[in-house]
Amino acid sequence: MPSTKVLALCGSLRAKSSNKGLLRYAQANAPEGMSIEIADLSEVPFYNSDITEPPAAVKVLLAQFAAADAFIFGGPEYNYSISPALKNAIDWASRTPNNALLGGKAAAIMGAGGGMGTSRAQYHLRQVFVFTDIHPLNKPEVFANAFAGQFDADGNLTDEKIQDGIKAQLAALAVWSAQLRK
Ligand SMILES: Cc1cc2nc3c(=O)[nH]c(=O)nc-3n(C[C@H](O)[C@H](O)[C@H](O)COP(=O)(O)O)c2cc1C
C-alpha cells in the first residue's frame, strides 16, 4: 500500500477543544505509512474574493491542502450544521483552478459534540463534498460526546471505544485513499 499524507482540519478554534483532541489522538495513532499534519485555522480570515494577496496563514493552508493525499475533517456541530471555521477552510481551498487541491481526494470525518455526536453536521459536510468532489469514507463513522467524560479537562481523548473507532477509521482511510489513487 502507498504511503498516505493526511491533512487534518478542526472546526473548533479553542485551545482545549475536544475536537482538536480527536485529531491529536489520530495523529499520535496513525497506522504505519500514514502521516497526519494538523492545520492551524486560527489566523485564516473569512473567504473574500477582494483579498487578492492571501495572508500567510492562507498560503500555508493552501500548500498543506495541495500536499495532502487525503483529509480528516474534525469538528463540532454548530446549530445543527458545520462550524464556520471548517467550512471557511474548504471554501478557500475550493477556489483553485480545476479544483486541484480537493478533487478526487479521500476524507474521513470525526466529531465531538452533544448527544447526537455531531451527526447532523457530519451529514451536511458530506453534502459539501459533492460539489468539491472530495470522496468521504462511508464507514466507520466517529461520533464522540464532548460532555460525557470521554475527554479530560484539556480536551484529550480518554474514551477507549472512541479511540478504537478512530484507529479503525484511519486504517479504512488508508485503504480508501490508496484505491482512489490507483
Ligand atoms: C454556536 C454554537 C452552536 C452549537 N450548536 C450545537 C449543536 O447544534 N449540536 C451540538 O451537539 N452541540 C452544539 N454546540 C455545542 C458544541 O457541541 C460544543 O461547543 C462542542 O463541544 C464544541 O467542541 P470543542 O470542544 O471542540 O470546542 C454548539 C456550540 C456553539 C458555540
Side-chain angles (χ1 to χ4, degrees):
M1 189 144 54
S3 64
T4 313
K5 200 167 160 30
V6 177
L7 178 65
L9 301 106
C10 183
S12 172
L13 302 180
R14 72 188 187 94
K16 294 182 178 178
S17 157
S18 51
N19 284 283
K20 282 184 184 161
L22 294 178
L23 298 184
R24 278 196 305 276
Y25 185 83
Q27 186 180 46
N29 291 276
E32 204 183 320
M34 178 182 283
S35 62
I36 300 177
E37 184 175 19
I38 300 176
D40 178 5
L41 303 183
S42 61
E43 301 295 329
V44 176
F46 276 117
Y47 177 78
N48 177 345
S49 60
D50 288 343
I51 304 175
T52 49
E53 181 53 32
V58 172
K59 284 186 180 157
V60 169
L61 178 66
L62 297 184
Q64 289 173 319
F65 267 107
D69 301 309
F71 309 116
I72 298 172
F73 293 96
E77 178 173 289
Y78 281 178
N79 298 314
Y80 283 20
S81 191
I82 311 155
S83 73
L86 195 59
K87 179 65 162 49
N88 187 47
I90 296 170
D91 292 342
W92 273 109
S94 70
R95 295 291 89 192
T96 301
N98 302 319
N99 194 28
L101 305 188
L102 305 177
K105 295 183 182 179
I109 309 171
M110 55 183 71
M116 299 282 281
T118 75
S119 52
R120 290 165 294 219
Q122 292 197 22
Y123 294 129
H124 276 184
L125 192 55
R126 287 176 187 267
Q127 186 178 341
V128 172
F129 291 167
V130 177
F131 188 71
T132 51
D133 198 30
I134 293 169
H135 295 263
L137 182 69
N138 279 332
K139 289 189 276 189
E141 299 177 291
V142 175
F143 301 124
N145 191 320
F147 308 105
Q150 296 175 353
F151 298 85
D152 70 17
D154 294 320
N156 297 306
L157 177 66
T158 54
D159 185 90
E160 211 172 298
K161 205 167 151 219
I162 305 293
Q163 291 175 346
D164 289 347
I166 289 175
K167 283 187 260 191
Q169 194 189 57
L170 295 177
L173 179 65
V175 173
W176 181 223
S177 174
Q179 274 176 10
L180 290 173
R181 283 180 279 158
K182 260 188 194 158

